[in-house]
Every structure is written in structure tokens, then in C-alpha cells.
Amino acid sequence: MGRREVLTGKAKFGIFGDGKEVPQLAMAKAFREGDFRSGYYRDQTFMMAIGHLSIQQFFAGLYGHTDIEHDPMSAGRQMGGHFATHSLDKNGNWNDLTKIKNSSSDISPTASQMPRLLGLAQASKIYRNVDGLEQKTTFSNKGNEVAWGTIGNASTSEGLFFETINAAGVLQVPMVMSVWDDEYGISVHAKHQTTKENISEILKGFQRDENNNGYEIITVNGWDYANLVTVYKKAAGIAREEHVPVLIHVTELTQPQGHSTSGSHERYKNEERLAWESEFDCLKQMTKWLIENNFSTEEELIAISNQAKNDVLEGKKAAWNAFISPIKSEQTELVSILREIAKTSQSSSYIEQLTNELASIKEPIRKDILSTARKILRKLGSEKDKNTLSKWIKNVTATIQPKFSSHLYSASENNIFNVNEVLPEFDENAADVDARLILRDNFDALFTKFPEVLVFGEDAGNIGDVNQGLEGMQEKYGELRVADVGIREASIIGQGIGMAMRGLRPIAEIQYLDYLLYGIQIMSDDLATLHYRTAGRQKAPLIIRTRGHRLEGIWHAGSPMGMIINAIRGIHVLVPRNMTKAAGFYNTLLTTDEPALVIECLNGYRLKEKMPLNLGEFKTPIGVVETIKSGKDITVVSYGSTLRLVEQAAKELMEVGIDVEIIDVQSLLPFDINHDILKSISKTNRLLVIDEDVPGGASSYILQQILEVQKGYFQLDSQPKTLTSQEHRPSYGTDGDYFSKPSTEDIYEKIYEMMHEDNPVKFPSLY
Ligand SMILES: Cc1ncc(C[n+]2csc(CCOP(=O)(O)OP(=O)(O)O)c2C)c(N)n1
Ligand SMILES: [Mg+2]
């Protein structure tokens, strides 16, 4: 019936759980309150079995109902088949997760549920073993929760699957991973997907034994209900009690109608396979088993089946009515407004024609309504009724647009805008210290203040990170809170997402910015969309800590900021110029409920700064720029390490009488919420944006913000300019850096050239 809704045009796309029902019943039996699922689009039966998806809600999802009360999975933002429960109430506050059978919100990229699964499982380990978390009883009952993963057989080909499987084996976390194996991934057979066509066979090396930790690996046929129940019970026991991961390979499943509504399986399965699938459909086998064992009679099962059909029809109707009636009211309202306008308008026949067309649509969508209104508005010129229509359009847009665009960022009381700045306090007589010590001592204060804070990354544990910003912290706070992890950036991010979704405050370290690319997919697809795609019902306030390279080389000098800020809208991006600022950002973030990426300056750890007295307390505001030198001739906007070069160039320019105002952006997302840059260029009337990204990278975003959002173009007397690195990656060594990225001389000359344009006599051409 779901399929028909798509074929008749009521829904756009459908992907369903048929062929995989029976193992999901077994999984649901073993799944408890407090547990978490991280799975994919086939888990419809499971979601129904745990009581979080009704028939009506299923259809609401298919239609894309934008009301969260009707489509609790995503308020119409995701295609049907992407499941979620509500970890947050409507104000963004945590619900008691130990009372919910939780499902983390699904995403479409195959295997992208894996990294997050690792963190969901690891949270139990943290809650069970870390002191100080005993009070957090609404998140965990002594770490007794299991994280349940599901994945299709073909999706196990993805790197994310293997990376996560290995990591969970290393970490020994309570995770039960099910592979629903129907031998296909859309049309592509297992022979193209998996060595030996058998995932459990090739994972055998992960099996634990007397001497080594590892996995428990179990294989079971997907149509064998009794065995499935036994297997799932056993798996849950092992994971829950021993915190050992389990892999269940569920074989001999089918896909009765093809992958999705986009195709049918007759195109790629042969006669023999089709015959086998129809015989071994798990529902058919379960029916047989129920009758053979006298649990039920054929008549009873037919009656249940008929009842089910009826229930689905009813649910479908209810979902459709709920979906269509508010839209129909909008249609009726507009039609009557337009008919009124047509009476006196000069374009009455045009209006009547479009109005009649709109009125005749039996099942309108909002696009039909608004596009009619907006087309007619154009025709009204300066007629007197134009106002009525434009007002109506504006009002409707104001109420409808948020249904599609709200909740990209937190709207709760704990969002970043509710944090007040707290300045660092200093003992003016104290000597300057290596800046990394400020980070270290500030982290120390944070670990003491917040037992739920933990940090993990490559070399973050034993040696206290490559730049020793965590020196001594593992000794003091233990190997679970300050942890070394494998080289696996995507699942480091996922580990953080999963733990943050369960009430912990993880700080995931990506060793160097250049290697963030391995994690950027999961940041972009999962973390950045989580709050948005659940319409604010799930969040992961994860902090990602990394450092921009200055080692000078293709993979050691990166600042691909344009790529980053454009890929991860939904996550704040902070670029502190020194370690006091960075520490202040961590302090701010830990009092908010939002995810952020903090990029420290790699060449700043050994520079000298004053140690603040109020460690763990001072707060750098987010979205606020800082003027680090005021000047009257030109505004230079930059961020991060580049600022030191700009400061040097500004000193040299002062000697020839050019007075530069330097603004540190500090926070790329969000950007200058107070429009302080506009105030600066109102004074200088000249703007230069400098960074180390490619031409048209983050600098063009900054220009868009200043010129378009802040309307800065009104204030400019000369062309706004950017100074960036070359288009290629930075070449190796100091000369490579000099010829690839903006140097002090480049900066000097660029600013000088802009002043020369203004006054060629005072500033004669350099070349
Ligand atoms: C990264 C990525 N590549 C491709 C797709 C398109 N796609 C969606 S489902 C699918 C096949 C998945 O097969 P399998 O994992 O066996 O799950 P099944 O549908 O058979 O249960 C593909 C290729 C995708 N969603 N994500
Ligand atoms: Mg498959």
C-alpha cells in the first residue's frame, strides 16, 4: 500500500521493510528501555515493534507531513524509512533516555550509521566505569544499555563499516551489530560486494577466544523465528553484561518487491532466485512454523492478516486527511482572496484562469498554492488589492518556511547566544608562559568541573596530545576520560556523536586539520544535520578539537576553510588566534548544547601568553569579532595564524603612514552577529579580506557576509579585495610556504596598492 501511494503520486519516494520483518521482531524482544538503535531504512518492523512507529505515522512520513506530532521521525524532512525517537522535548531539554527505547536518527548514506553506533555503545562503558557520573540517572542505568546496529549486506562494503567494527572490537563496547543479508545491494549481487560473498566468514578473525578479546559472531537464518529469538537474547546478554560486541549475520533474507519504489527486482534476479525468495519470505516461513507447532491455525492467521489490511487502510486514510486538510484550507483561503481580487482587477481573466486551475487541484501541495499567489502578485502592478495578496503571501511564508528550515541550530535556552562573555583575569606581574599550558590547565579545570567531559584522539592520552595541551591529564583523570584511539578519523567523530547523544560531553580530537577530511563526511551528513533532521528532537553537542598545520607541505599546511564551512552548516566553526581564546571557546561551548569545531593554531602552542587566573570560567563569546588594532585607513579582516602576519605588515605600513584596522573574525560560523565589521568599514571605507584558503574559499564567504548580509557595499570607496593562497596546495618547506600562502610582503603590498589607488602621489607605485 505504501508503494501505491508513490505510484499514484501522493508520496515522492518509498523504501520499506518487507522481507526483513522476522529478525526485527526478535531484535525488538531483546531491546530494552535505555538501549539505542543505529540502523537504516529497512527497520520499519522493528520501529513498530518497539512502539515508536504507528501505521498512521508511517504514512505521515511517506507523505512528508511537516508536523512533528504527525511525523515524529523528522517532521517531513527526511524520506520515509528514516527512523528516530525523541531524546529532547519541544524546548530542547533532555527526556529521560532510560525510559525510552531509543533510536538515533537514520541518515541515507550507506554505512553512515556505523560511526555514531560506536559512540552510542561506548557511552555505556563510560557510564559504568567513570566515577562522578552516578547522578546522571536519566541517561544510563550503570551502563547496562546496549547499542544495536543494523546494516544491509551490501553496505558492509563501505570503509565506515570495517573501521567501526575494528574500533568496537578494540574498545570492547556493548554493541550488537546485525547484518540483514538478502544477497543484494539494489541490483548488485554479493559476488561484487563481499569477499567469499559472506561477511561473517571473512570477519572470523574478530571472534574472541580464551586469550584474546574480540567479538562474538553468530550466523542465523532470517526466516527462522525461534532461533532468531534465542540468538538475540544471547547476544543481548553478552553485550549488556560483559560489554563485549556481538555480530549477528542474518542470512537468507529477501527483498520481495525490489529495493525501493524506484525499481522492481525482476530486472536483476533470475527465475530460480525469485522462486526461492517467494518460498523463503520470512513471513511465509513464520506462518508455516506457527501452524506446524500449533501456536496458531490458518484461519486465525488469515483473520489477523485481514485485520492488518484494514488497520493499514484506516491508518493511511487518517494520515492522508491529517496531511492534506491544512493544505486544503490554505488553498480555499487563497482561492477566495483571489476571486475577490479578480472582481475589480484589470487582469481579472488571467487571475480567474489561474485561480480556477488552483481550485481544481484535488490534492494540492503548498508549491501549487504559493506559486499561484506569487504569479498573480506580479500582475497586480499598483492595483489597490495588491496589498491584501502580498500580505497573505508574507504571512503564509512566515508560518510555512520554518516548517522546512527551523532547528538547524539550537533554539533552546542553552544555545550559544545565551552565554555572556567572561573576560580572562590576570595577575599582571606573572611571567608569560608557553601557550599550550593555558590549554592544559584550562582542560584540567574543565575535567574537574564537568565529570561528563572526556577527550579522545590519536596521541591524546598517554603523551597528552602531540602539542602537550593535555599533558598529565590521563594520569589524573584516567584512560577512559583522556584516551588514545586508533587512526580512524571518521569513527572518532562518530564516537563523539554517539556519546554526545547520550548526555556526555565528548571532545573528539582530530590530530591535524588536513586529516579532518576523513571525518568531514560524517560531520556533514550526520552531526551537522542531526538537530535539523529531527526538527530539534535529537542533539549531539560534540566539540571537535583540531589544529591548523604550519609544517609547510601539501598535507601539512592546510586551511581548507571554505570547504569546511560550506559542508557543515549546523556546526559552529571557531578559529581562535591564540590559546587563551581557544580555552575561552571550550569554556563557552561546555555551557551550551551545540556542536562546534575548534581549530587551534599549530604554531601558537610555544608562543608566550599570560596564564589567566579564572581557568575553566572565562568565556570567549561565539559569533563576535574582535578589533585587535584600530586604524583609520583600511579594514583588514582575517583569522587564525594569518593574523600574526597581518599585525607585522600593519606595523611596517604604519612607518609609511598607512593606518590599518585589523579585525579578527574568531568565529566563521556564526559570523559577526553584531555587524562590527560594518562599523569598521563605515569608518575606513576600504576592505581587504585575508586568509590562507584557496581563492574564492572562505574569503568569498566572508565577503558575502560583509557585502550582502551587512550591506557593507554602501560604505566602500574602493573595490573590496581578497588576498588568499595560491590555488594549489601549499608546497613543501619555508620557500614552499612563502610562494604558496600570503606572506607579510604580500600583505604589505596588497594594502599599499589599495592605498596607492586612492592617493598615487602620497603612495607611489612600488613596481
Ligand atoms: C554512500 C551511498 N552510496 C549509494 C547509496 C545508494 N544506495 C541506497 S541503498 C543501496 C544498497 C544497499 O544495499 P544493502 O546494504 O544490501 O541493503 P538492502 O537495501 O539490501 O537492505 C545503495 C547503493 C547510498 N544511499 N549511499
Ligand atoms: Mg542487501
Side-chain angles (χ1 to χ4, degrees):
M1 282 190 215
R3 213 174 164 83
R4 247 201 30 217
E5 297 307 276
V6 177
L7 301 181
T8 59
K10 278 185 170 161
K12 215 53 215 236
F13 178 78
I15 191 151
F16 308 116
D18 44 340
K20 320 274 193 301
E21 297 94 338
V22 172
Q24 294 182 26
L25 291 178
M27 180 169 132
K29 266 178 171 297
F31 196 96
R32 291 200 195 147
E33 277 82 9
D35 286 1
F36 260 89
R37 162 191 170 277
S38 184
Y40 79 118
Y41 49 79
R42 293 284 178 228
D43 296 342
Q44 179 188 319
T45 307
F46 171 80
M47 291 304 294
M48 289 184 162
I50 61 166
H52 279 289
L53 179 68
S54 69
I55 294 167
Q56 187 175 333
Q57 289 165 343
F58 165 86
F59 282 99
L62 207 55
Y63 302 138
H65 199 144
T66 52
D67 185 341
I68 191 90
E69 301 299 329
H70 288 273
D71 172 23
M73 303 300 134
S74 78
R77 289 171 181 196
Q78 293 226 67
M79 291 170 168
H82 290 68
F83 306 112
T85 50
H86 293 185
S87 303
L88 306 175
D89 66 20
K90 66 178 188 319
N91 301 317
N93 300 314
W94 288 108
N95 290 323
D96 183 342
L97 302 186
T98 64
K99 299 213 159 64
I100 302 173
K101 290 183 172 170
N102 301 281
S103 173
S104 61
S105 162
D106 294 353
I107 62 178
S108 295
T110 48
S112 286
Q113 68 271 39
M114 295 297 300
R116 170 194 342 130
L117 173 65
L118 182 66
L120 292 170
Q122 201 197 358
S124 290
K125 186 158 180 157
I126 301 292
Y127 281 118
R128 187 176 285 181
N129 298 301
V130 169
D131 291 337
L133 296 173
E134 299 77 16
Q135 311 300 322
K136 303 202 69 156
T137 52
T138 56
F139 292 103
S140 176
N141 173 17
K142 304 184 181 71
N144 284 331
E145 303 78 20
V146 172
W148 302 78
T150 68
I151 194 167
N153 58 298
S155 301
T156 66
S157 309
E158 295 278 12
L160 291 177
F161 175 79
F162 285 94
E163 181 179 318
T164 306
I165 289 291
N166 176 52
V170 170
L171 290 172
Q172 290 292 291
V173 288
M175 163 178 133
V176 177
M177 183 70 227
S178 296
V179 181
W180 306 146
D181 191 345
D182 61 5
E183 280 191 37
Y184 285 85
I186 310 186
S187 68
V188 181
H189 188 258
K191 70 181 177 216
H192 301 294
Q193 301 280 3
T194 310
T195 308
K196 300 184 181 179
E197 299 181 27
N198 187 331
I199 191 69
S200 53
E201 178 65 24
I202 60 170
L203 290 179
K204 267 188 177 159
F206 284 86
Q207 174 64 48
R208 65 175 171 168
D209 58 35
E210 282 155 24
N211 302 319
N212 292 296
N213 286 334
Y215 274 75
E216 200 54 48
I217 298 179
I218 308 170
T219 301
V220 58
N221 285 328
W223 43 264
D224 187 352
Y225 179 66
N227 243 330
L228 283 160
V229 172
T230 312
V231 162
Y232 273 89
K233 197 170 162 205
K234 179 178 164 197
I238 294 170
R240 210 180 293 285
E241 280 143 41
E242 303 174 46
H243 278 188
V244 167
V246 183
L247 181 114
I248 306 176
H249 183 193
V250 183
T251 54
E252 300 203 0
L253 286 167
T254 68
Q255 192 52 56
Q257 300 185 81
H259 176 74
S260 69
T261 50
S262 313
S264 66
H265 62 160
E266 285 81 7
R267 280 193 298 166
Y268 47 82
K269 289 176 189 163
N270 63 26
E271 294 281 317
E272 197 190 342
R273 173 77 195 183
L274 289 169
W276 179 86
E277 287 207 5
S278 112
E279 183 55 27
F280 278 84
D281 177 277
C282 60
L283 290 183
K284 192 164 178 184
Q285 290 294 322
M286 186 173 173
T287 308
K288 237 164 99 181
W289 173 82
L290 286 168
I291 295 168
E292 277 169 14
N293 290 282
N294 292 323
F295 294 125
S296 196
T297 64
E298 199 165 351
E299 294 71 42
E300 280 173 323
L301 293 176
I302 289 170
I304 289 175
S305 171
N306 287 339
Q307 183 61 44
K309 239 183 219 165
N310 234 0
D311 292 346
V312 175
L313 264 176
E314 292 299 313
K316 182 177 81 142
K317 259 195 232 152
W320 181 253
N321 286 337
F323 169 76
I324 202 74
S325 57
I327 303 179
K328 283 200 148 179
S329 316
E330 287 158 31
Q331 177 194 32
T332 313
E333 190 179 84
L334 179 65
V335 165
S336 82
I337 290 173
L338 294 179
R339 295 222 157 109
E340 207 43 48
I341 293 174
K343 281 183 192 162
T344 55
S345 172
Q346 289 163 3
S347 312
S348 64
S349 65
Y350 177 82
I351 298 174
E352 265 161 28
Q353 189 199 331
L354 261 66
T355 307
N356 289 339
E357 278 168 20
L358 176 63
S360 72
I361 302 176
K362 283 209 179 67
E363 283 151 3
I365 57 172
R366 292 199 157 105
K367 181 182 170 196
D368 299 323
I369 300 168
L370 267 171
S371 102
T372 304
R374 293 164 79 180
K375 280 195 180 115
I376 290 174
L377 184 78
R378 296 176 205 159
K379 285 274 176 190
L380 292 180
S382 46
E383 290 183 28
K384 67 174 177 33
D385 286 336
K386 185 180 181 180
N387 226 356
T388 318
L389 185 57
S390 73
K391 234 194 217 153
W392 186 87
I393 293 172
K394 275 193 205 150
N395 281 343
V396 168
T397 310
T399 47
I400 305 297
Q401 187 68 48
K403 292 181 187 294
F404 297 92
S405 300
S406 72
H407 292 100
L408 180 57
Y409 298 97
S410 171
S412 84
E413 282 178 0
N414 300 316
N415 76 34
I416 52 157
F417 299 115
N418 288 337
V419 181
N420 291 325
E421 179 172 14
V422 178
L423 291 169
E425 292 159 12
F426 301 102
D427 172 357
E428 286 308 325
N429 301 319
D432 288 354
V433 297
D434 278 358
R436 63 143 187 125
L437 295 173
I438 296 170
L439 277 177
R440 183 197 65 183
D441 293 358
N442 193 71
F443 278 129
D444 194 357
L446 290 175
F447 288 133
T448 302
K449 190 169 164 187
F450 301 110
E452 63 274 28
V453 170
L454 46 131
V455 64
F456 49 94
E458 296 151 18
D459 304 289
N462 190 21
I463 64 164
D465 90 43
V466 279
N467 299 94
Q468 300 216 283
L470 293 164
E471 183 194 18
M473 294 298 106
Q474 187 179 66
E475 246 170 75
K476 195 163 171 187
Y477 297 100
E479 287 183 16
L480 282 172
R481 287 188 72 192
V482 183
D484 282 320
V485 300
I487 308 174
R488 45 175 185 76
E489 286 74 13
S491 58
I492 289 175
I493 302 290
Q495 213 174 321
I497 297 173
M499 286 199 278
M501 291 180 80
R502 290 192 57 194
L504 297 168
R505 292 308 306 259
I507 302 174
E509 266 229 18
I510 298 297
Q511 195 157 61
Y512 299 110
L513 179 62
D514 301 73
Y515 310 124
L516 188 72
L517 267 75
Y518 276 34
I520 201 95
Q521 179 265 332
I522 226 57
M523 289 170 68
S524 181
D525 285 329
D526 196 357
L527 183 59
T529 65
L530 179 68
H531 196 255
Y532 171 77
R533 73 180 191 263
T534 58
R537 297 311 174 103
Q538 290 188 5
K539 67 179 172 187
L542 167 64
I543 297 173
I544 298 159
R545 175 187 186 219
T546 189
R547 44 194 72 83
H549 267 193
R550 275 309 285 222
L551 290 179
E552 302 158 356
I554 294 176
W555 292 279
H556 301 83
S559 49
M561 299 309 303
M563 182 268 295
I564 292 170
I565 57 177
N566 290 325
I568 63 170
R569 300 292 163 99
I571 301 173
H572 300 305
V573 177
L574 309 174
V575 283
R577 70 177 181 277
N578 62 37
M579 300 310 151
T580 308
K581 292 277 172 188
F585 278 138
Y586 295 121
N587 297 342
T588 303
L589 287 167
L590 285 172
T591 61
T592 76
D593 64 354
E594 304 200 54
L597 169 68
V598 181
I599 302 169
E600 296 167 10
C601 298
L602 184 60
N603 58 2
Y605 295 110
R606 309 261 160 208
L607 299 179
K608 301 291 179 194
E609 291 181 42
K610 270 210 183 332
M611 178 70 78
L613 296 169
N614 48 347
L615 291 165
E617 301 296 332
F618 63 93
K619 296 190 178 72
T620 314
I622 292 172
V624 178
V625 305
E626 187 178 335
T627 305
I628 54 178
K629 177 190 170 305
S630 52
K632 59 180 180 9
D633 293 325
I634 180 169
T635 300
V636 174
V637 175
S638 190
Y639 55 89
S641 299
T642 319
L643 281 166
R644 277 190 285 282
L645 308 186
V646 176
E647 281 181 290
Q648 180 56 36
K651 255 189 218 150
E652 294 166 14
L653 284 158
M654 203 64 181
E655 290 164 18
V656 295
I658 296 173
D659 189 8
V660 180
E661 178 142 310
I662 306 173
I663 295 185
D664 177 8
V665 172
Q666 303 192 93
S667 160
L668 285 166
L669 293 177
F671 185 87
D672 187 15
I673 54 172
N674 301 324
H675 292 194
D676 287 330
I677 298 174
L678 181 68
K679 288 167 208 154
S680 170
I681 57 174
S682 314
K683 179 174 68 175
T684 63
N685 313 117
R686 274 178 210 89
L687 173 65
L688 173 64
V689 176
I690 304 179
D691 76 358
E692 299 184 3
D693 197 0
V694 293
S699 58
S700 65
Y701 160 79
I702 294 174
L703 274 187
Q704 181 263 343
Q705 290 290 310
I706 301 171
L707 300 184
E708 189 175 82
V709 178
Q710 303 191 4
K711 298 192 170 50
Y713 67 98
F714 281 122
Q715 308 299 335
L716 295 178
D717 287 345
S718 65
Q719 187 194 344
K721 294 206 167 150
T722 64
L723 177 62
T724 63
S725 70
Q726 297 289 327
E727 208 167 333
H728 55 74
R729 300 263 185 121
S731 185
Y732 169 65
T734 305
D735 275 353
D737 178 76
Y738 191 79
F739 287 95
S740 302
K741 288 187 166 185
S743 64
T744 316
E745 286 73 41
D746 293 333
I747 296 168
Y748 181 104
E749 289 175 10
K750 190 83 179 183
I751 296 170
Y752 186 91
E753 184 192 307
M754 287 175 76
M755 297 309 295
H756 160 77
E757 263 174 38
D758 177 62
N759 189 344
V761 177
K762 190 166 172 203
F763 305 113
S765 180
L766 285 175
Y767 293 98

